[in-house]
Amino acid sequence: MNNLRNPKLLEKFGKHLKALRTAKGMTQEELAYASDMELSQVYRIETGKINTTLTTIEALSKGLEITIGELLKDF
């Protein structure tokens, strides 16, 4: 049983995060390091496997060197 409330939304956010990361020329490993998180966590977010937290969104935006608003824009 899938306990995620909206798996399609998580997949959409993951694809958006991946697009931003690749546009910056970063690997998942580089983003994980820059965001101070585990590589596996970045992978699970990008593939829509986990529902991320606001603090993780903040860390990802810092790792990408963009604002939280930019990370959440148009996804």
Side-chain angles (χ1 to χ4, degrees), residues 5-17:
R5 290 187 180 185
N6 191 339
K8 289 185 181 184
L9 181 66
L10 299 180
E11 288 174 16
K12 184 177 177 184
F13 178 74
K15 287 178 183 179
H16 178 68
L17 175 62

Side-chain angles (χ1 to χ4, degrees), residues 17-69:
L17 175 62
K18 182 178 181 178
L20 291 171
R21 174 181 60 77
T22 57
K24 292 242 177 202
M26 297 177 81
T27 65
Q28 285 183 339
E29 185 174 13
E30 290 168 332
L31 178 57
Y33 180 80
S35 302
D36 194 29
M37 64 179 61
E38 296 292 323
L39 171 60
S40 62
Q41 186 175 7
V42 172
Y43 169 79
R44 291 189 319 247
I45 293 168
E46 285 192 359
T47 57
K49 304 285 186 217
I50 60 171
N51 191 356
T52 191
T53 65
L54 288 173
T55 55
T56 300
I57 288 172
E58 178 187 37
L60 289 167
S61 68
K62 287 180 179 179
L64 290 167
E65 298 180 340
I66 60 175
T67 66
I68 293 172

